[in-house]
Amino acid sequence: MTQARTLADFVSGTTTITGNPTFSGTVAGVSGGFAFIKKVTLNSSNGLHDLTDLFSSNHNHYKLIWEINNSVNDVTTHFKFLKASDGSVDTSSAIDYAVHGLDNDGLSRAKVSNNKDFFQVENDDDDDGHKHFMEMNVFDPFNSQKVQVTGIGAYTVNADDDTTTYNLAASSNLTTSYSGMHLLVSDTVGGSVNSSNAITGMCIVYGMSES
């Protein structure tokens, strides 16, 4: 293949690129879609994990793909926000959330709550040794607006049985700017951390490009 090709060649599809070419500069006409930001490995031995530098002024909205595995049986993972101002956990009781869940036996596993400093999806029933997967959307976390969260996911309740699917909605009543998220795993909803629980897995973060 010659080094110089015309734009018409690429548009018409007559040029085939093989090997491992290196490109520099920018590609005109490419916009929208998702921008990969980072992959965070979850590796905590005390039931807590901070995910820092997830959100910034570069994007308004974000998609987070979670894979969470807890080592202790019958626990729930709480999601909290880290303040952009100083990286601390926001402990304001300003989050309302609703979870509509259903397991394979037709049992409702729903949860609703108001004025909390967290949101969560499991009813103290996440089974150890099974991964919890969730696709989460976070809207306006960094823009000093009332952040909104939606999510869909699945986790296992009992060993090798009772898979649960759910959808989630959460919102904050504050206009705080957030830069990250904090995980806290406890034995009860709203309870203190289970410091014996090991959290493993990952979170893949994308920014939603608007133009």
Side-chain angles (χ1 to χ4, degrees):
M1 184 179 71
T2 60
Q3 290 184 331
R5 305 293 295 188
T6 67
L7 178 61
D9 288 335
F10 287 97
V11 172
S12 64
T14 59
T15 296
T16 300
I17 300 176
T18 60
N20 298 293
T22 300
F23 299 92
S24 61
T26 60
V27 180
V30 177
S31 63
F34 292 99
F36 174 78
I37 295 176
K38 65 193 306 183
K39 173 185 174 181
V40 180
T41 299
L42 305 181
N43 186 16
S44 169
S45 60
N46 63 357
L48 301 171
H49 200 290
D50 284 346
L51 292 84
T52 60
D53 300 321
L54 305 184
F55 315 129
S56 70
S57 59
N58 294 332
H59 302 280
N60 293 328
H61 312 308
Y62 296 82
K63 182 175 290 292
L64 281 60
I65 307 298
W66 294 91
E67 175 190 308
I68 302 173
N69 187 26
N70 292 306
S71 65
V72 176
N73 196 33
D74 293 336
V75 293
T76 186
T77 302
H78 300 70
F79 298 86
K80 302 187 178 188
F81 291 106
L82 299 177
K83 297 179 184 178
S85 59
D86 59 8
S88 65
V89 178
D90 192 346
T91 58
S92 305
S93 300
I95 296 176
D96 299 338
Y97 69 93
V99 180
H100 175 72
L102 189 70
D103 70 22
N104 57 271
D105 291 325
L107 178 65
S108 174
R109 297 188 179 275
K111 184 68 178 179
V112 296
S113 197
N114 301 304
N115 302 318
K116 301 298 182 181
D117 65 350
F118 64 86
F119 60 91
Q120 49 80 225
V121 295
E122 312 115 327
N123 291 334
D124 316 328
D125 52 12
D126 188 26
D127 188 73
D128 64 314
H130 291 265
K131 295 177 180 179
H132 174 181
F133 293 98
M134 173 166 46
E135 179 180 315
M136 178 188 292
N137 299 305
V138 185
F139 303 96
D140 290 317
F142 196 82
N143 298 339
S144 298
Q145 299 184 32
K146 295 180 180 180
V147 61
Q148 303 276 337
V149 178
T150 63
I152 56 173
Y155 66 95
T156 301
V157 177
N158 301 312
D160 303 317
D161 191 14
D162 288 342
T163 184
T164 298
T165 180
Y166 66 85
N167 56 68
L168 158 75
S171 63
S172 172
N173 298 320
L174 301 179
T175 56
T176 305
S177 180
Y178 299 114
S179 59
M181 300 195 74
H182 171 79
L183 303 185
L184 183 154
V185 178
S186 68
D187 296 322
T188 58
V189 174
S192 59
V193 62
N194 184 324
S195 58
S196 299
N197 181 72
I199 307 172
T200 56
M202 65 178 178
C203 179
I204 304 175
V205 185
Y206 299 90
M208 299 184 189
S209 301
E210 298 181 20
S211 61

